[in-house]
């Protein structure tokens, strides 16, 4: 018997976005998940149509459906419109970014046995975007850390750890230098840790944590970080297991969730049909679990593992398959 139709907002994005979202939509169709997609443009694609980079209809669609799958959206550097990704996170208060990092079968990487989860605070820190010129040649950028945001990201990390049966949460900081801001982050997470006595809590300074992540990544379990450290460590995490093409991610708020890949719009390979859809597919698997389509999530993971183990890979992983060939192979197993 078929379940309910899920209404989900789809943002193809730009660059390789439309290529990888097409592939993922095709695969979810083959997995027989009943989804009614509501497509919305954003970023340069919306601007070219004379609309705002983050059209209000897009935000309304996500608020209505509460779930979105999103391809990458290019952010102009130094000038032009502000990041659509940051705008979405702020507009929907998507305060938690979740990135599970683990070795996929058949994907070459420097490390084996990596299985960690990065929980990044998404709304404040240096990403508050509060910059100004004091005098010519001197610019100030404000790092905002609040007890409220630090407590809720701490709670998100511990609740995730509890739900997933994970044993340890590590807070990452630089409170030896930024005693007040990172100090407040730590105080807030420590207070949450006391509510979860069954989970071990510890702390690492960001620079030492980076070294340990590339020496002994298997020692980490759940990491919770303020926004900027979280951004950097997330890509480091992707590097541990084979790169940006093989890590999925999700952004959670209190009511909405947006599922997107870790990578960007990859302008260097856009339009060539060679992008790896795996990262967005892994994000889509997180989405399927979120909407309670667990059997379909397991089936997609099985099919993906089967295809990768069979040596069918896109160019970034040393293979020769195109995006479409890779998606077709996954669909065939499904
Ligand atoms: P990028 O992730 O787009 O590309 C970095 C490198 O990884 C490139 O060589 C690219 O070809 C490769 N790569 C990325 N994804 C791949 C995939 N699925 N398959 C095969 N190879 C892949 O990072 P970059 O160049 O720094 O950013 C490009 C644009 O994307 C920027 O405008 C940036 O702001 C935006 N961006 C958007 C994000 C989002 O929408 N969530 C996230 C990160 C960046």
């Amino acid at each position: 018997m078929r379940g309910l139709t899920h209404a989900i907002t789809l943002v193809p994005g730009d660059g390789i976005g439309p290529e990888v979202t097409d592939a993922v939509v095709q695969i979810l169709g083959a997995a027989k998940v009943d989804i009614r997609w509501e497509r919305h443009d954003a970023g340069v694609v919306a601007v070219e149509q004379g609309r705002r980079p983050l059209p209000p209809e897009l935000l309304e669609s996500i608020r209505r459906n509460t779930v979105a799958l999103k391809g990458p959206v290019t952010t102009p550097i130094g000038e032009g419109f502000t990041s659509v990704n940051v705008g979405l996170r702020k507009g929907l208060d998507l305060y938690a970014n979740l990135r599970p990092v683990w070795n996929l079968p058949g994907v070459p990487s420097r490390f084996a046995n990596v299985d960690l989860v990065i929980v990044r605070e998404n709304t404040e820190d240096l990403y508050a975007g509060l910059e100004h010129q004091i005098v010519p040649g001197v610019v100030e950028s404000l790092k905002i850390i609040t007890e409220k945001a630090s407590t809720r990201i701490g709670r998100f990390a511990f609740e995730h750890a509890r739900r997933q049966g994970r044993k340890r949460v590590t807070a990452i900081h630089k409170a030896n230098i930024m005693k007040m801001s990172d100090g407040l982050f730590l105080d807030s997470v420590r207070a949450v840790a006391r509510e979860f006595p069954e989970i071990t809590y510890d702390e690492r300074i960001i620079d030492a944590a980076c070294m340990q992540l590339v020496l002994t990544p298997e020692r980490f379990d759940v990491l919770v970080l303020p926004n900027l450290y979280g951004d950097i460590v997330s890509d480091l995490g992707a590097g541990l297991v084979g790169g940006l093409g093989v890590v999925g991610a999700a952004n959670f708020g209190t009511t909405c969730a947006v599922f997107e890949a870790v990578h960007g719009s990859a302008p260097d390979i856009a339009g060539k049909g060679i992008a790896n859809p795996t990262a967005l597919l892994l994000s889509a698997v997180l989405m399927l679990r979120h909407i309670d389509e667990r059997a379909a999530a397991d089936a997609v993971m099985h099919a993906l593992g089967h295809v990768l183990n069979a040596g069918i890979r896109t160019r970034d992983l040393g293979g020769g398959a195109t995006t479409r060939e890779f998606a077709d192979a996954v669909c065939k197993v499904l």
Side-chain angles (χ1 to χ4, degrees):
M1 201 175 81
R2 298 197 90 184
L4 285 175
T5 303
H6 302 280
I8 295 178
T9 306
L10 181 70
V11 186
D14 56 73
I16 59 168
E19 298 163 51
V20 291
T21 42
D22 276 359
V24 169
V25 166
Q26 181 194 343
I27 292 167
L28 298 197
K32 303 265 187 294
V33 193
D34 198 358
I35 297 176
R36 182 175 58 76
W37 297 105
E38 270 181 35
R39 281 176 191 262
H40 283 272
D41 291 320
V44 279
V45 184
V47 170
E48 277 161 15
Q49 297 162 359
R51 299 160 66 214
R52 284 192 243 168
L54 181 52
E57 312 82 75
L58 165 57
L59 282 172
E60 279 158 32
S61 168
I62 301 178
R63 284 198 187 104
R64 194 172 49 246
N65 297 328
T66 72
V67 178
L69 182 67
K70 178 184 158 297
V73 176
T74 301
T75 307
I77 293 178
E79 53 182 20
F81 57 80
T82 52
S83 164
V84 167
N85 304 309
V86 175
L88 263 181
R89 287 170 204 160
K90 283 192 178 156
L92 300 169
D93 198 20
L94 301 170
Y95 69 89
N97 181 270
L98 180 84
R99 297 189 187 184
V101 173
W102 48 283
N103 296 102
L104 276 179
V107 173
S109 82
R110 283 178 183 273
F111 297 91
N113 306 320
V114 181
D115 180 14
L116 52 92
V117 177
I118 297 170
V119 176
R120 163 187 172 192
E121 204 288 323
N122 239 353
T123 62
E124 55 180 28
D125 195 354
L126 283 160
Y127 280 69
L130 299 172
E131 294 188 318
H132 56 261
Q133 180 178 275
I134 300 175
V135 289
V138 183
V139 168
E140 188 173 50
S141 182
L142 300 179
K143 170 167 167 132
I144 307 294
I145 298 287
T146 64
E147 184 180 354
K148 183 179 167 214
S150 304
T151 301
R152 72 177 175 174
I153 198 66
R155 183 157 288 120
F156 182 95
F158 275 95
E159 281 174 353
H160 183 81
R162 182 177 272 172
R163 264 198 312 278
Q164 302 291 319
R166 288 183 173 267
K167 303 277 179 276
R168 177 187 299 269
V169 172
T170 306
I172 310 288
H173 66 95
K174 190 79 186 176
N176 51 332
I177 303 297
M178 280 158 281
K179 294 182 195 298
M180 290 189 73
S181 53
D182 282 14
L184 177 59
F185 177 78
L186 280 187
D187 285 345
S188 311
V189 179
R190 275 178 204 152
V192 175
R194 288 194 278 276
E195 298 169 25
F196 296 80
E198 81 279 17
I199 297 170
T200 306
Y201 171 68
D202 59 6
E203 297 166 354
R204 290 273 183 284
I205 294 178
I206 176 72
D207 39 345
C210 286
M211 183 192 67
Q212 286 164 3
L213 273 165
V214 292
L215 280 178
T216 48
E218 67 281 0
R219 286 214 188 153
F220 289 91
D221 196 346
V222 176
L223 287 76
V224 60
L225 310 93
N227 206 341
L228 181 63
Y229 310 147
D231 186 20
I232 297 164
V233 169
S234 296
D235 277 18
L236 191 159
L240 295 176
V241 295
L244 295 173
V246 291
V247 180
N251 296 297
F252 292 95
T254 39
T255 51
C256 299
V258 175
F259 297 82
E260 64 179 336
V262 178
H263 60 74
S265 54
D268 52 335
I269 58 165
K272 295 185 179 163
I274 57 170
N276 186 353
T278 302
L280 191 66
L281 187 59
L282 291 171
S283 306
V285 167
L286 289 173
M287 182 185 83
L288 292 178
R289 297 200 198 286
H290 178 72
I291 61 173
D292 242 358
E293 290 282 357
R294 287 175 210 175
D298 292 344
V300 171
M301 282 313 296
H302 169 79
L304 176 63
H306 188 89
V307 167
L308 290 169
N309 269 328
I312 302 170
R313 296 179 197 152
T314 44
R315 201 182 290 182
D316 56 310
L317 299 181
T322 63
T323 312
R324 186 168 289 273
E325 285 162 354
F326 188 84
D328 286 347
V330 177
C331 290
K332 204 169 156 204
V333 181
L334 282 165

